[in-house]
Amino acid sequence: MPNQPFKPISKSERIAYLDILRGIAILFIYSANILMFSGIWFFPEDTPRRIYTLPTDDVLNFLNYVLVDGKFYSLFSLLFGIGCMIQYNNIRAHNKAFAPFFRRRMFWLLIIGLIHLVCFWPGDILTLYAVLGFFLVWFVNTPSKTLLITASLLILFPIVNWAFIHFTDIFYPLVVFQKSTEVYQHFGMPVTEMDGFLQPDVVQFLLNQNVVDFFKMNFGNTFIRIGMILEEGRIFKVFGIFLIGLWAGRKILNEGLLDNTKFLKKVFLLGMLIGLPVNLIRGCFEFYAEGGEYDKLFHILAYAVGTVPLALGYAAGIALLVKRKVKLLNWFKPVGKTALSNYLFQTGISIIIFYGFGFNLTGVFGFTYVMLIGAGIFVFQIICSKIWLSYFKYGPMEWVWRKLTYGVRLKFKR
């Protein structure tokens, strides 16, 4: 009925694989984010603060870079596109217009993301997803072949972005980076000089023990994040993977992609055979080779031909394991169902543990200990998510987002 209000997808309509994949992505996104939260990137190994180290630090750091870095936010981007297509089918089944609904959904995600980005965590991905989501609605009816061609071009487009900066010598993200310094100086926050430019002192940001100053500095850090997104061409990469997600969502819903074992095996093997060697070479260059003029170009190429295929290989491999009913994977399902809440929780708990006005443990731990802390927090999230979902239908932030998006009364308790 056209005037009947529509609601979120019911439990019986959810696809277990997507919840599992989302939960796994949340774990490994955190294994990347915790490196900044913990200060491991900003305090040298010989710093007096670095107390807890293990001989495994360098090996695990290398493996994380090769196997994890960039792959799981790519999976999260893939899931975003798949989710968009599922919502499109759900809304069209209710004879409703999709674009106004999805843009309303993206508006509230943007609000949540901006609060997260500006006030708490400069590494936020929600804001970028929301902004790009406004444009994703234009592609929901695009033919599958066109989606894949456009996605491939977009994933390669950061090469054009690099070439423009490199050959014209117009480093346009500098305008945004300078804005971060201006914000720091406006509030009297610490800055440092590097390569002849003043920039925010990230070490002092992490060590800062004043909560008010934390918010001031994080506002400045927002512009660092925007500058980095522009410099690396992440807008194009993420949107390209969104489009692959739209294609995959369409195939899952209409052609039983998750039951096509032959296709999944092919994607898994190709992803491993292409992605692993490229990422291994990328890791060797990053860790063991001296920097050169074309380092950034190499990393952009390695991302396009290595990171994305490996991420898709992971997605296909996990789909095959889910099809074989590997019970261990079910532990990720509760976290996947409450992904937004868990993503934001990781920021809150990490700030408390590591930052100066919390327990002030920034820069204290080596790589192995940082990963163990992250794993411990994730296990805690699994337990809490499972308990929470036994009493409530949605995660707390999921409920808020749905309530704002759908504009109807939603039952929260079971």
Side-chain angles (χ1 to χ4, degrees), residues 80 104-114 126-127 129-130 340 401 405:
F80 190 90
R104 186 165 65 250
R105 180 175 172 84
M106 290 301 100
F107 171 79
W108 290 114
L109 182 63
L110 180 62
I111 297 300
I112 296 169
L114 283 172
L126 303 177
T127 304
Y129 279 23
L340 178 60
W401 189 19
T405 299

Side-chain angles (χ1 to χ4, degrees), residues 303-363:
Y303 181 95
V305 301
T307 299
V308 175
L310 189 54
L312 295 177
Y314 287 164
I318 293 166
L320 290 168
L321 292 175
V322 170
K323 190 170 176 59
R324 296 183 66 174
K325 302 187 186 304
V326 176
K327 292 183 178 179
L328 180 65
L329 294 175
N330 289 328
W331 285 99
F332 293 97
K333 199 185 297 182
V335 177
K337 289 180 178 179
T338 54
L340 178 60
S341 298
N342 278 301
Y343 174 70
L344 297 175
F345 173 83
Q346 288 171 353
T347 296
I349 194 67
S350 299
I351 288 172
I352 292 170
I353 292 172
F354 294 112
Y355 284 18
F357 59 86
F359 293 127
N360 194 23
L361 294 176
T362 184

Side-chain angles (χ1 to χ4, degrees), residues 175-329:
V175 176
V176 187
F177 285 126
Q178 288 176 333
K179 181 60 66 175
S180 67
T181 305
E182 291 172 11
V183 171
Y184 264 61
Q185 290 176 318
H186 174 77
F187 289 119
M189 297 295 105
V191 296
T192 186
E193 185 176 340
M194 182 176 290
D195 298 328
F197 294 97
L198 288 177
Q199 62 183 38
D201 192 330
V202 178
V203 171
Q204 294 306 312
F205 165 69
L206 294 170
L207 291 172
N208 161 63
Q209 297 184 8
N210 185 293
V211 175
V212 175
D213 287 348
F214 164 76
F215 288 112
K216 292 176 181 177
M217 285 188 276
N218 211 75
F219 178 54
N221 295 341
T222 299
F223 295 97
I224 297 177
R225 174 64 167 173
I226 296 170
M228 292 175 66
I229 287 172
L230 295 174
E231 182 180 1
E232 65 182 36
R234 181 172 288 208
I235 292 171
F236 309 111
K237 294 187 286 191
V238 169
F239 199 77
I241 301 171
F242 279 2
L243 297 185
I244 296 176
L246 286 183
W247 174 87
R250 187 179 294 163
K251 296 293 181 180
I252 288 170
L253 294 171
N254 301 329
E255 299 181 25
L257 177 64
L258 295 179
D259 293 319
N260 190 340
T261 303
K262 183 178 179 180
F263 177 79
L264 293 173
K265 286 181 177 179
K266 185 183 294 186
V267 173
F268 173 72
L269 288 173
L270 284 174
M272 296 299 111
L273 291 173
I274 297 171
L276 281 177
V278 172
N279 279 282
L280 189 61
I281 295 169
R282 175 175 174 254
C284 289
F285 269 86
E286 177 69 19
F287 281 77
Y288 306 117
E290 293 185 9
E293 183 180 2
Y294 291 96
D295 272 5
K296 286 186 179 179
L297 175 60
F298 171 76
H299 285 292
I300 291 168
L301 283 169
Y303 181 95
V305 301
T307 299
V308 175
L310 189 54
L312 295 177
Y314 287 164
I318 293 166
L320 290 168
L321 292 175
V322 170
K323 190 170 176 59
R324 296 183 66 174
K325 302 187 186 304
V326 176
K327 292 183 178 179
L328 180 65
L329 294 175

Side-chain angles (χ1 to χ4, degrees), residues 85 135-142 147 150 239 243 246 250:
M85 185 56 69
F135 301 97
L136 193 59
V137 293
W138 295 343
F139 292 85
V140 290
N141 289 313
T142 301
L147 282 177
T150 307
F239 199 77
L243 297 185
L246 286 183
R250 187 179 294 163

Side-chain angles (χ1 to χ4, degrees), residues 21-41:
L21 188 62
R22 195 174 290 112
I24 293 172
I26 285 289
L27 166 61
F28 287 104
I29 286 173
Y30 188 44
S31 77
N33 290 346
I34 199 172
L35 298 179
M36 180 172 175
F37 284 126
S38 66
I40 201 169
W41 284 346

